[in-house]
Amino acid sequence: MNLEIFINNSKLDVSLDTEQTVGDVFTSITLECEKNNAAIIGVKVNNQVVSADQIESVRNKSLNEIFRLDFETVTQEDIKTALAECLNKFSQLAEEIENTSVKLQSGKDKEAASVIYVFADTVEQFCHLVSMTALFPTLFQTCRINGMNIKDFFSDFSPVLKEFEEALANKDTVMIGDLAEYEIKPRIEAICSMIRSIGI
């Protein structure tokens, strides 16, 4: 059997003793991940990405049919580190976003656009991380922002972001300023408080 197994693009130097199927290897890797506060977030079989709903269909494949298995994993510490990066960005943005309308009124459109781009990028990064926190419920299941679970918080935040986007498109600096100061900044500060609450 010339099967190669990679975790996060690093080749494993292991011998397979009892594993006969893809599912057997998947189970062994999952158990090792659990010991190290890690979780599998991606799988490839023979260089083909396996989606979540395809996992069951490949589990019974004999390892004799497979030449390469790739597993992408994430650790609890990886998520905490990335959340710490988000915290730093959001802390800066809380002040900068409030000055967006002033920048636009002063003709500093590029500076304003840069802040808005970083804000949108950081929100996207944070939402991606939040989706992965479900892998580690012991640490993250009690997370609340403004007393809401994270999904409800963003359901509430989403219309504000849409309104902000429309105000930017219309160059309505009064609306931009009001939304930034009274709606967006307090929510950014609430996100920062939630991240700090888990010891970051």
Side-chain angles (χ1 to χ4, degrees):
M1 187 189 299
N2 295 317
L3 172 65
E4 294 182 314
I5 301 173
F6 291 78
I7 294 183
N8 297 333
N9 295 319
S10 295
K11 186 178 176 182
L12 285 189
D13 185 17
V14 293
S15 58
L16 301 177
D17 300 321
T18 58
E19 292 86 350
Q20 301 294 320
T21 65
V22 172
D24 292 339
V25 177
F26 191 93
T27 299
S28 295
I29 301 290
T30 300
L31 290 171
E32 282 303 308
C33 282
E34 286 173 359
K35 291 178 192 173
N36 295 286
N37 285 325
I40 296 169
I41 56 171
V43 180
K44 286 183 184 176
V45 176
N46 292 345
N47 296 320
Q48 297 295 311
V49 174
V50 179
S51 64
D53 56 357
Q54 293 173 323
I55 289 288
E56 288 306 315
S57 66
V58 300
R59 286 185 74 93
N60 293 325
K61 277 186 177 288
S62 167
L63 293 181
N64 292 324
E65 304 172 49
I66 310 299
F67 60 84
R68 176 167 173 149
L69 289 173
D70 286 82
F71 295 91
E72 184 184 357
T73 67
V74 65
T75 68
Q76 191 169 280
E77 282 306 308
D78 291 335
I79 294 177
K80 289 179 77 171
T81 299
L83 282 171
E85 290 173 12
C86 280
L87 175 60
N88 289 334
K89 288 182 186 176
F90 276 133
S91 296
Q92 288 180 314
L93 285 164
E95 299 307 318
E96 292 176 353
I97 202 94
E98 194 174 8
N99 297 321
T100 305
S101 63
V102 176
K103 283 185 169 67
L104 290 170
Q105 288 165 354
S106 308
K108 298 177 180 176
D109 292 21
K110 283 188 178 177
E111 285 184 34
S114 176
V115 171
I116 291 158
Y117 174 78
V118 172
F119 171 63
D121 190 52
T122 307
V123 168
E124 185 178 346
Q125 182 188 2
F126 179 71
C127 289
H128 175 64
L129 288 169
V130 163
S131 70
M132 289 199 289
T133 61
L135 299 168
F136 305 101
T138 305
L139 180 65
F140 297 108
Q141 67 184 353
T142 58
C143 291
R144 292 285 183 275
I145 308 177
N146 280 348
M148 293 181 272
N149 66 42
I150 296 170
K151 183 180 177 183
D152 290 343
F153 173 82
F154 275 101
S155 294
D156 179 68
F157 197 6
S158 198
V160 173
L161 294 174
K162 187 169 185 192
E163 204 174 346
F164 188 62
E165 189 179 346
E166 289 169 357
L168 288 166
N170 297 326
K171 297 196 169 158
D172 184 343
T173 54
V174 174
M175 180 64 78
I176 290 167
D178 285 349
L179 288 170
E181 183 176 357
Y182 300 112
E183 299 289 348
I184 295 175
K185 183 182 177 182
R187 286 176 169 87
I188 291 175
E189 290 171 339
I191 290 172
C192 290
S193 294
M194 185 282 284
I195 296 173
R196 290 190 193 99
S197 76
I198 54 176
I200 293 172

